[in-house]
Amino acid sequence: MNFKNLKLYLLAFITVFSVSQSISQDEANYPFMNYDAPKRFVIREIRMEGTESLNPDVLIISSGMSVGDTIYIPGDYITDATRKLWSQRMFADIKVVVEEDGEYADIVFYLKERPRVYSWKFEGLKKGDVTELTSKLNLGHGTELSEYRINFAIETIKGYLREKSFLNAVVEVIQEPDPEINNGVNITFRVDKGKKVKVGDVTFSGNDTFKDKTLRKALKKTKRKNANIFVSSKFKESQYEEDKENLIDFLNSKGYRNAVIVSDSLYDINDKRIGIHINLEEGNKFYYRNITWLGNSKLSTEELDRILSIKEGDTYDNQTMNKRLGISKDSDPDDYSVMTLYQDDGYLFFQMEPLETVVSADSIDVEIKMVEGRQATINRVILTGNESVNDQVIRRELDVLPGELYNRSLLVSSARRLAMIGHFNPENVNPDFAIISNELVDISFDLEEQPSDQLEISGGWGASTFVGSIGVVLNNFSIQNMFRKGEWRPYPKGDGQQLALHAQSNGTYYSAVSLTFTEPWLGGKKPYSFTAGLYYSNYTNAYYAWQSSSQHFRTLGASVGFGRRLNWPDRNFSLYHELMYQSYNLKDWDSFIISDGTSNIITLKTVFSRNTLGQPIYPRTGSELSVSLTLTPPYSLFDGKDYKSASLSDQSRYKMIEYHKWHFLADWYFPLDARGNLVIRAKAELGFIGSYNKHKPSPFEGYEVGGDGLSGYNLYGVDVIGLRGYGNAALTPNNAYARAYNKYTLELRYPFVLKPSSTIYGLVFAEGGNAFSEVRNIDPFLLKRSLGFGLRVYLPIVGMIGADWGYGFDRAQNGAGRKGEIHFLIGQQF
C-alpha cells in the first residue's frame, strides 16, 4: 500500500466516522460499511438526498459515478466523487452513506445546499461607487452564498473606501430570505462610511540630519493639513506606501544609502484627523569613489563619463545617477541620458545594470555593466483604427519608417504629432512595438478616431444689435476626391485638408462671409503647408430690413500662406509666411477717421514658432513659443507725399496703409500630479504696432483689450484681446484702439471628462494685462488684475465652448471695474 492510498483510506474512515456521529435519527437506520478490510461491490443505485433547487441526475453525472461500476471499499472512488461535488461550491455539507446488499452497494449522498443569492444591494454608497464595487466583487445573479464570499466582499468594500480616505467605514451584512425563490436569499451591504480622514500631522524620529519639514516634502502625496488649499491632505493607504519609498529615495539621493524606515504608525488625533509617525535610521553618508564601465563599444568611456557627470568624492545619489543613465522610473524619453543615446541609434535591446560595492564606511564603487546588443531595424509600421483618415495622412506625420533604425525620440515625436492633428483621441495615441528578431521590430499605432469636423451656430451682441453666426469647418477634406464617384460621404474626405466657411449677419445692417482652405502637406511629400483665404464684410446704416442704405463700410481681403517645419534648432520649430491684401471701402462714413474713399493694405507676415504640446484639447505638458512680424511696404519713404502737411486729405494720406506689427507669445503647461490631470498653465503675450512715419500712423490693425475676446462682428482690422473680469474693450484707451498691449495668465486646470465624445474641465485663473495708446507707454507692471473660475466643454461637432466668471480688481479706462463679469467662449480659448 503506497502512502497516497493510505491517506485516502484515512480520509474515508474519518468521513464515515463523522457521519456515524452526526447523522440524524431518521438516517440512523441505514446500515454502515464495515471498514475492517477492503471489499468489492457493484454499485446498484446512487441517490442524492436533500437537494432543493438542483437536479439530482446532473449531480450524479458531475460526481463521476455510474450505476454498475465496480468499487472497493475502502478506496478512493467515493472520496473522488465527494471532492468533485465539493469543487462545485454549491453545498454547505456533504455526507455519504453506503448501504450493503451482498455484493451490491447503494451509495447515498446527503446534501445541504448553500443558499443562492438572487439580489445584492448596497446602502449608504453613491451610484458610481456601487457600479465599481459590483464589478470588483463580480456579484452575479444566483451566486452561491458562502462565508468566504461575504468576508471577501466586506474587506473589498472597506479597502475601496480606505482608498477614498474613509478609514473608519463600517459594513453590516443583512441577509433576508427571498420571498419567491426556494433556498434563495437577498444580501444587503449596509455601509456607514463615516467621515473622511485627513492627515493632521506627520512627525519623524531618528532623523539627525534632516528637519521634519524637509522630510515632509519628500512625501509627494501624503500631506498634512495646511493653509494651501490646492494640496490635498486626504490619507490614502496606497499613496502612503508609495511615499515611504519616495522618502527612502530622497534619503538615498542625499548620500544616505543605507537609510531605512525602522517603523511607522498611525494614530488618531480626532474623528477627522490622523497623525503619522515615522521612525528612521539614516546610517552613514556615502560618497562615490570609482565608476567603471564594462561592455561599451559604441560610446567611449570618456563620453559615458561626460554624460554621467559624476566625479570621485561626489555625494552618493542613485536617483540622479539612474536618471542620467536613463533607467530611473521617472525617466522621460526627452531627457538626455545614456539610454536615450543608445535607443536613438537603434539599440532597442540595450541594457545596463549598475552594481555597487561598499569599499569603506563611507565610499562606494560603481561598476556599470552594459549589453549593447545589435541595432534594431524597423520592419513594418502598422496602422489600425483609422477608417475615414487615409493612411498617407498618418504616415506623413511619422518620423519612424520601415527600413530605418529604431529611434525612441522619433517614435515619441511621431505620437505627439498624431495627437495634435485632431483626428484621433489624444489620450490613446500610444505606440507599441513587437520584436520580430534580434534585429527587426514592428511599430504599431492602434488609433481611435474621433470626430474632428465642427459646426458652429452662435449669436453675439455688438453695436447695439444681435448678430447670428454659422460656420462649418471640415478638417478631413479631400479636393482630389471631389469629382470621384461615391466619395461624397457626406463630403469628400480622407486627405486631412481643412475647408472652413463662416457667415455672419443681422439682416441689412451687417453681413460677412469668409472661406479658408489649408493643405498641410503641399505635394504630399514634405511638410510644407499652403493656406488660402477670402473674406468680405459689409456694414451699412440700414438698421432694419425695410430701410435702404446710404452709407457703407466694406472690407475685402485675400491671403496666401506657406509654412514649413524646420529641423533646426530642433524638429519642433516651424516657419510660416503669409501675403495678404485688404481693402477698406467707405462711403459717407463720418464716424471713422476716413469718411470716403478706399484704403489698401498689403502685408507680409512671418511667424517663427516652436510647439511641443502633447495634445491640442487638454495639454498636460509642453509649450508653445512664437514670434511674429507683419510688415507693409514703407510707402511714405518713396511716394513723395508730404505727410507733415495738414492740407493733405485723409483719402490721400490713408490710401495705402503702412505699419509694422510685432507679437510675442509664450505658453507653458506643467502637470502637478502623477497622472498629469492637475495642470498649471502659464502664458505671457505682448503685441504692438508701430509706424514708419509718425505723421502717418495706421488707423487699422490696433488692439481692443478686455472682456471675453469675442465680438458680434468684426468691422475693420482690430485684434480683440480678451481679459477676464472686465467688459469688452474696457481697457482700450480713449475708446479708440490701443497700439500696444501685454497680458499674463496663470490657470490651474482639472479634467472631469477626457473622452473622444467630449472633453470637460474646470479651471481657476489669475490674469493681468493692459492696453497702451503708444508703444513707448508700455509698462509691464502697470496691470489690470483679475481672479476667477471657469468651465470648458469641447464637443467635436461644435468645438470649444465655455464660460468664465472673473472679478476685476482695478478701474478700467471707462471707469468700470471692481466687480464680477461673466464671459462666454465659442471656438476659442484664453
Side-chain angles (χ1 to χ4, degrees), residues 110-151:
Y110 292 94
L111 307 173
K112 182 179 180 181
E113 290 186 23
R114 293 186 189 276
R116 314 293 289 183
V117 183
Y118 284 85
S119 172
W120 300 91
K121 296 181 181 179
F122 295 84
E123 293 181 0
L125 296 176
K126 295 180 180 178
K127 184 177 180 180
D129 294 333
V130 172
T131 301
E132 191 165 348
L133 281 170
T134 301
S135 176
K136 285 177 176 289
L137 294 171
N138 193 24
L139 301 177
H141 179 76
T143 307
E144 77 281 351
L145 179 65
S146 66
E147 185 176 354
Y148 166 80
R149 181 177 287 274
I150 293 297
N151 290 336

Short mmCIF file of all heavy atoms in Angstrom, two decimals, residues 110-151:
data_model
loop_
_atom_site.label_atom_id
_atom_site.label_comp_id
_atom_site.label_asym_id
_atom_site.label_seq_id
_atom_site.Cartn_x
_atom_site.Cartn_y
_atom_site.Cartn_z
N TYR A 110 -26.07 12.66 1.25
CA TYR A 110 -26.96 13.60 1.95
C TYR A 110 -26.35 14.99 1.81
O TYR A 110 -25.29 15.28 2.37
CB TYR A 110 -27.11 13.20 3.42
CG TYR A 110 -27.85 11.90 3.60
CD1 TYR A 110 -27.17 10.69 3.69
CD2 TYR A 110 -29.25 11.88 3.61
CE1 TYR A 110 -27.84 9.49 3.83
CE2 TYR A 110 -29.94 10.69 3.75
CZ TYR A 110 -29.24 9.50 3.86
OH TYR A 110 -29.90 8.32 4.00
N LEU A 111 -27.03 15.82 1.04
CA LEU A 111 -26.51 17.13 0.66
C LEU A 111 -27.26 18.26 1.35
O LEU A 111 -28.48 18.18 1.54
CB LEU A 111 -26.61 17.34 -0.85
CG LEU A 111 -26.00 16.23 -1.73
CD1 LEU A 111 -26.34 16.48 -3.19
CD2 LEU A 111 -24.50 16.15 -1.53
N LYS A 112 -26.51 19.30 1.69
CA LYS A 112 -27.12 20.52 2.20
C LYS A 112 -26.66 21.66 1.29
O LYS A 112 -25.50 22.05 1.28
CB LYS A 112 -26.67 20.80 3.64
CG LYS A 112 -27.33 22.04 4.23
CD LYS A 112 -26.89 22.26 5.68
CE LYS A 112 -27.55 23.51 6.25
NZ LYS A 112 -27.13 23.77 7.65
N GLU A 113 -27.62 22.16 0.50
CA GLU A 113 -27.28 23.20 -0.47
C GLU A 113 -26.97 24.53 0.22
O GLU A 113 -27.56 24.87 1.24
CB GLU A 113 -28.45 23.42 -1.44
CG GLU A 113 -28.68 22.29 -2.40
CD GLU A 113 -29.75 22.64 -3.42
OE1 GLU A 113 -29.97 23.86 -3.64
OE2 GLU A 113 -30.38 21.73 -3.96
N ARG A 114 -26.02 25.24 -0.40
CA ARG A 114 -25.80 26.63 0.03
C ARG A 114 -26.96 27.47 -0.48
O ARG A 114 -27.50 27.22 -1.57
CB ARG A 114 -24.51 27.19 -0.56
CG ARG A 114 -23.22 26.56 -0.05
CD ARG A 114 -22.04 27.34 -0.63
NE ARG A 114 -20.78 26.70 -0.36
CZ ARG A 114 -20.08 26.84 0.76
NH1 ARG A 114 -20.58 27.61 1.73
NH2 ARG A 114 -18.93 26.23 0.93
N PRO A 115 -27.33 28.52 0.25
CA PRO A 115 -28.34 29.44 -0.28
C PRO A 115 -27.80 30.13 -1.53
O PRO A 115 -26.60 30.35 -1.67
CB PRO A 115 -28.52 30.43 0.87
CG PRO A 115 -28.03 29.74 2.09
CD PRO A 115 -26.93 28.83 1.63
N ARG A 116 -28.69 30.48 -2.44
CA ARG A 116 -28.32 31.19 -3.66
C ARG A 116 -28.74 32.65 -3.51
O ARG A 116 -29.87 32.94 -3.09
CB ARG A 116 -29.01 30.59 -4.88
CG ARG A 116 -28.95 29.07 -4.95
CD ARG A 116 -27.55 28.55 -5.17
NE ARG A 116 -27.08 28.84 -6.51
CZ ARG A 116 -25.90 28.44 -6.97
NH1 ARG A 116 -25.08 27.77 -6.18
NH2 ARG A 116 -25.53 28.71 -8.20
N VAL A 117 -27.81 33.54 -3.83
CA VAL A 117 -28.10 34.97 -3.68
C VAL A 117 -28.71 35.48 -4.98
O VAL A 117 -28.09 35.41 -6.04
CB VAL A 117 -26.83 35.76 -3.34
CG1 VAL A 117 -27.17 37.23 -3.13
CG2 VAL A 117 -26.17 35.18 -2.09
N TYR A 118 -29.92 35.99 -4.87
CA TYR A 118 -30.62 36.50 -6.06
C TYR A 118 -30.67 38.01 -6.10
O TYR A 118 -31.16 38.60 -7.06
CB TYR A 118 -32.03 35.91 -6.14
CG TYR A 118 -31.98 34.47 -6.60
CD1 TYR A 118 -31.78 33.44 -5.70
CD2 TYR A 118 -32.09 34.15 -7.95
CE1 TYR A 118 -31.70 32.13 -6.11
CE2 TYR A 118 -32.01 32.84 -8.38
CZ TYR A 118 -31.83 31.82 -7.46
OH TYR A 118 -31.73 30.53 -7.88
N SER A 119 -30.17 38.66 -5.05
CA SER A 119 -30.14 40.12 -5.04
C SER A 119 -29.01 40.59 -4.15
O SER A 119 -28.92 40.21 -2.98
CB SER A 119 -31.48 40.68 -4.55
OG SER A 119 -31.41 42.08 -4.36
N TRP A 120 -28.11 41.41 -4.74
CA TRP A 120 -27.05 42.07 -3.98
C TRP A 120 -27.36 43.57 -3.98
O TRP A 120 -27.52 44.18 -5.04
CB TRP A 120 -25.69 41.85 -4.63
CG TRP A 120 -25.27 40.42 -4.76
CD1 TRP A 120 -25.50 39.60 -5.82
CD2 TRP A 120 -24.53 39.64 -3.81
NE1 TRP A 120 -24.95 38.35 -5.60
CE2 TRP A 120 -24.34 38.35 -4.37
CE3 TRP A 120 -24.00 39.89 -2.54
CZ2 TRP A 120 -23.66 37.33 -3.71
CZ3 TRP A 120 -23.32 38.89 -1.89
CH2 TRP A 120 -23.15 37.62 -2.46
N LYS A 121 -27.44 44.15 -2.82
CA LYS A 121 -27.76 45.57 -2.72
C LYS A 121 -26.75 46.27 -1.82
O LYS A 121 -26.10 45.65 -0.98
CB LYS A 121 -29.17 45.77 -2.17
CG LYS A 121 -30.28 45.23 -3.05
CD LYS A 121 -31.64 45.49 -2.43
CE LYS A 121 -32.77 44.93 -3.30
NZ LYS A 121 -34.11 45.14 -2.69
N PHE A 122 -26.65 47.59 -2.03
CA PHE A 122 -25.78 48.42 -1.22
C PHE A 122 -26.59 49.59 -0.67
O PHE A 122 -27.40 50.18 -1.39
CB PHE A 122 -24.60 48.96 -2.03
CG PHE A 122 -23.66 47.90 -2.52
CD1 PHE A 122 -23.92 47.22 -3.71
CD2 PHE A 122 -22.52 47.58 -1.81
CE1 PHE A 122 -23.06 46.26 -4.18
CE2 PHE A 122 -21.65 46.61 -2.28
CZ PHE A 122 -21.91 45.95 -3.46
N GLU A 123 -26.37 49.92 0.55
CA GLU A 123 -26.96 51.11 1.17
C GLU A 123 -25.85 51.98 1.72
O GLU A 123 -24.88 51.48 2.28
CB GLU A 123 -27.92 50.72 2.29
CG GLU A 123 -29.17 49.98 1.83
CD GLU A 123 -30.11 49.64 2.99
OE1 GLU A 123 -29.76 49.98 4.15
OE2 GLU A 123 -31.16 49.02 2.73
N GLY A 124 -26.01 53.29 1.54
CA GLY A 124 -25.02 54.22 2.07
C GLY A 124 -23.90 54.58 1.11
O GLY A 124 -22.95 55.24 1.51
N LEU A 125 -24.01 54.12 -0.17
CA LEU A 125 -22.98 54.43 -1.16
C LEU A 125 -23.58 55.14 -2.36
O LEU A 125 -24.77 54.98 -2.67
CB LEU A 125 -22.29 53.15 -1.64
CG LEU A 125 -21.49 52.35 -0.61
CD1 LEU A 125 -20.96 51.07 -1.23
CD2 LEU A 125 -20.34 53.18 -0.05
N LYS A 126 -22.75 55.92 -3.05
CA LYS A 126 -23.19 56.60 -4.26
C LYS A 126 -23.31 55.60 -5.40
O LYS A 126 -22.73 54.52 -5.37
CB LYS A 126 -22.20 57.70 -4.63
CG LYS A 126 -22.12 58.84 -3.62
CD LYS A 126 -21.11 59.89 -4.07
CE LYS A 126 -21.03 61.02 -3.07
NZ LYS A 126 -20.03 62.04 -3.47
N LYS A 127 -24.06 56.00 -6.42
CA LYS A 127 -24.31 55.12 -7.56
C LYS A 127 -23.00 54.70 -8.24
O LYS A 127 -22.82 53.53 -8.61
CB LYS A 127 -25.23 55.82 -8.56
CG LYS A 127 -25.63 54.94 -9.74
CD LYS A 127 -26.59 55.69 -10.66
CE LYS A 127 -26.99 54.81 -11.84
NZ LYS A 127 -27.93 55.52 -12.75
N GLY A 128 -22.07 55.65 -8.40
CA GLY A 128 -20.80 55.32 -9.04
C GLY A 128 -19.99 54.32 -8.22
O GLY A 128 -19.35 53.43 -8.78
N ASP A 129 -20.02 54.47 -6.89
CA ASP A 129 -19.32 53.52 -6.03
C ASP A 129 -19.92 52.13 -6.14
O ASP A 129 -19.21 51.12 -6.17
CB ASP A 129 -19.37 54.00 -4.58
CG ASP A 129 -18.62 55.30 -4.36
OD1 ASP A 129 -17.68 55.56 -5.13
OD2 ASP A 129 -18.98 56.06 -3.45
N VAL A 130 -21.26 52.07 -6.20
CA VAL A 130 -21.94 50.77 -6.31
C VAL A 130 -21.55 50.08 -7.62
O VAL A 130 -21.26 48.88 -7.65
CB VAL A 130 -23.47 50.96 -6.22
CG1 VAL A 130 -24.18 49.65 -6.55
CG2 VAL A 130 -23.86 51.46 -4.84
N THR A 131 -21.52 50.85 -8.71
CA THR A 131 -21.16 50.27 -10.00
C THR A 131 -19.74 49.70 -9.99
O THR A 131 -19.50 48.58 -10.46
CB THR A 131 -21.27 51.35 -11.11
OG1 THR A 131 -22.62 51.84 -11.14
CG2 THR A 131 -20.91 50.77 -12.47
N GLU A 132 -18.81 50.45 -9.42
CA GLU A 132 -17.42 50.00 -9.39
C GLU A 132 -17.24 48.79 -8.47
O GLU A 132 -16.53 47.84 -8.80
CB GLU A 132 -16.51 51.15 -8.95
CG GLU A 132 -15.05 50.86 -9.14
CD GLU A 132 -14.19 52.11 -9.06
OE1 GLU A 132 -14.76 53.23 -9.08
OE2 GLU A 132 -12.97 51.97 -8.95
N LEU A 133 -17.91 48.80 -7.31
CA LEU A 133 -17.78 47.67 -6.39
C LEU A 133 -18.43 46.41 -6.94
O LEU A 133 -17.92 45.30 -6.75
CB LEU A 133 -18.40 48.04 -5.04
CG LEU A 133 -17.54 48.91 -4.13
CD1 LEU A 133 -18.33 49.41 -2.94
CD2 LEU A 133 -16.31 48.14 -3.66
N THR A 134 -19.55 46.55 -7.62
CA THR A 134 -20.21 45.40 -8.22
C THR A 134 -19.29 44.72 -9.22
O THR A 134 -19.23 43.49 -9.30
CB THR A 134 -21.52 45.83 -8.90
OG1 THR A 134 -22.39 46.44 -7.94
CG2 THR A 134 -22.24 44.64 -9.51
N SER A 135 -18.56 45.54 -9.98
CA SER A 135 -17.60 44.99 -10.94
C SER A 135 -16.44 44.31 -10.23
O SER A 135 -16.00 43.22 -10.62
CB SER A 135 -17.09 46.11 -11.85
OG SER A 135 -16.10 45.63 -12.72
N LYS A 136 -15.92 44.95 -9.18
CA LYS A 136 -14.78 44.38 -8.45
C LYS A 136 -15.15 43.06 -7.79
O LYS A 136 -14.36 42.11 -7.75
CB LYS A 136 -14.30 45.37 -7.38
CG LYS A 136 -13.51 46.56 -7.88
CD LYS A 136 -13.17 47.48 -6.73
CE LYS A 136 -12.30 48.63 -7.19
NZ LYS A 136 -10.92 48.22 -7.54
N LEU A 137 -16.37 42.97 -7.24
CA LEU A 137 -16.78 41.79 -6.47
C LEU A 137 -17.34 40.69 -7.35
O LEU A 137 -17.54 39.56 -6.88
CB LEU A 137 -17.83 42.20 -5.43
CG LEU A 137 -17.32 43.14 -4.33
CD1 LEU A 137 -18.49 43.65 -3.50
CD2 LEU A 137 -16.31 42.44 -3.44
N ASN A 138 -17.64 41.00 -8.61
CA ASN A 138 -18.21 40.00 -9.53
C ASN A 138 -19.46 39.36 -8.92
O ASN A 138 -19.59 38.14 -8.83
CB ASN A 138 -17.17 38.92 -9.85
CG ASN A 138 -17.59 38.05 -11.02
OD1 ASN A 138 -18.40 38.47 -11.87
ND2 ASN A 138 -17.08 36.84 -11.07
N LEU A 139 -20.37 40.22 -8.50
CA LEU A 139 -21.59 39.75 -7.85
C LEU A 139 -22.64 39.44 -8.91
O LEU A 139 -23.25 40.33 -9.49
CB LEU A 139 -22.13 40.83 -6.89
CG LEU A 139 -21.15 41.24 -5.77
CD1 LEU A 139 -21.75 42.36 -4.93
CD2 LEU A 139 -20.81 40.04 -4.90
N GLY A 140 -22.83 38.17 -9.17
CA GLY A 140 -23.78 37.76 -10.19
C GLY A 140 -25.09 37.26 -9.60
O GLY A 140 -25.17 36.87 -8.44
N HIS A 141 -26.12 37.24 -10.41
CA HIS A 141 -27.44 36.73 -10.01
C HIS A 141 -27.36 35.21 -9.85
O HIS A 141 -26.85 34.49 -10.72
CB HIS A 141 -28.47 37.11 -11.08
CG HIS A 141 -29.85 36.60 -10.79
ND1 HIS A 141 -30.67 37.18 -9.85
CD2 HIS A 141 -30.55 35.56 -11.32
CE1 HIS A 141 -31.82 36.52 -9.81
NE2 HIS A 141 -31.77 35.54 -10.70
N GLY A 142 -27.82 34.70 -8.72
CA GLY A 142 -27.82 33.28 -8.48
C GLY A 142 -26.50 32.74 -7.94
O GLY A 142 -26.30 31.53 -7.90
N THR A 143 -25.61 33.61 -7.49
CA THR A 143 -24.34 33.18 -6.94
C THR A 143 -24.54 32.51 -5.59
O THR A 143 -25.39 32.90 -4.80
CB THR A 143 -23.40 34.40 -6.77
OG1 THR A 143 -23.33 35.09 -8.01
CG2 THR A 143 -22.01 33.96 -6.36
N GLU A 144 -23.73 31.45 -5.33
CA GLU A 144 -23.87 30.75 -4.04
C GLU A 144 -23.38 31.66 -2.91
O GLU A 144 -22.49 32.49 -3.09
CB GLU A 144 -23.07 29.44 -4.05
CG GLU A 144 -21.57 29.59 -3.89
CD GLU A 144 -20.84 30.00 -5.15
OE1 GLU A 144 -21.50 30.01 -6.22
OE2 GLU A 144 -19.65 30.30 -5.08
N LEU A 145 -23.99 31.48 -1.75
CA LEU A 145 -23.61 32.25 -0.57
C LEU A 145 -22.63 31.45 0.27
O LEU A 145 -22.88 30.28 0.59
CB LEU A 145 -24.86 32.59 0.26
CG LEU A 145 -24.61 33.38 1.54
CD1 LEU A 145 -24.07 34.77 1.22
CD2 LEU A 145 -25.89 33.49 2.37
N SER A 146 -21.51 32.09 0.63
CA SER A 146 -20.54 31.43 1.49
C SER A 146 -19.93 32.46 2.41
O SER A 146 -19.93 33.66 2.13
CB SER A 146 -19.44 30.76 0.66
OG SER A 146 -18.66 31.73 -0.02
N GLU A 147 -19.42 31.97 3.52
CA GLU A 147 -18.77 32.87 4.47
C GLU A 147 -17.56 33.54 3.85
O GLU A 147 -17.29 34.72 4.08
CB GLU A 147 -18.36 32.09 5.71
CG GLU A 147 -17.78 32.97 6.82
CD GLU A 147 -17.46 32.18 8.07
OE1 GLU A 147 -17.79 30.96 8.12
OE2 GLU A 147 -16.87 32.76 9.00
N TYR A 148 -16.84 32.78 3.01
CA TYR A 148 -15.67 33.36 2.33
C TYR A 148 -16.09 34.52 1.44
O TYR A 148 -15.46 35.59 1.44
CB TYR A 148 -14.97 32.29 1.51
CG TYR A 148 -13.96 32.85 0.54
CD1 TYR A 148 -12.70 33.23 0.97
CD2 TYR A 148 -14.29 33.02 -0.81
CE1 TYR A 148 -11.78 33.77 0.08
CE2 TYR A 148 -13.38 33.56 -1.70
CZ TYR A 148 -12.12 33.93 -1.26
OH TYR A 148 -11.22 34.47 -2.14
N ARG A 149 -17.16 34.34 0.65
CA ARG A 149 -17.60 35.39 -0.27
C ARG A 149 -18.03 36.64 0.50
O ARG A 149 -17.72 37.76 0.10
CB ARG A 149 -18.74 34.87 -1.15
CG ARG A 149 -19.24 35.90 -2.16
CD ARG A 149 -20.31 35.30 -3.05
NE ARG A 149 -19.72 34.36 -3.99
CZ ARG A 149 -19.20 34.71 -5.17
NH1 ARG A 149 -19.18 35.98 -5.53
NH2 ARG A 149 -18.70 33.81 -5.97
N ILE A 150 -18.73 36.46 1.61
CA ILE A 150 -19.18 37.60 2.39
C ILE A 150 -17.98 38.34 2.99
O ILE A 150 -17.89 39.57 2.93
CB ILE A 150 -20.14 37.15 3.50
CG1 ILE A 150 -21.45 36.63 2.88
CG2 ILE A 150 -20.44 38.29 4.46
CD1 ILE A 150 -22.23 37.67 2.10
N ASN A 151 -17.04 37.59 3.56
CA ASN A 151 -15.87 38.22 4.17
C ASN A 151 -15.02 38.94 3.12
O ASN A 151 -14.50 40.04 3.37
CB ASN A 151 -15.03 37.18 4.91
CG ASN A 151 -15.71 36.65 6.15
OD1 ASN A 151 -16.58 37.32 6.73
ND2 ASN A 151 -15.35 35.46 6.58
#
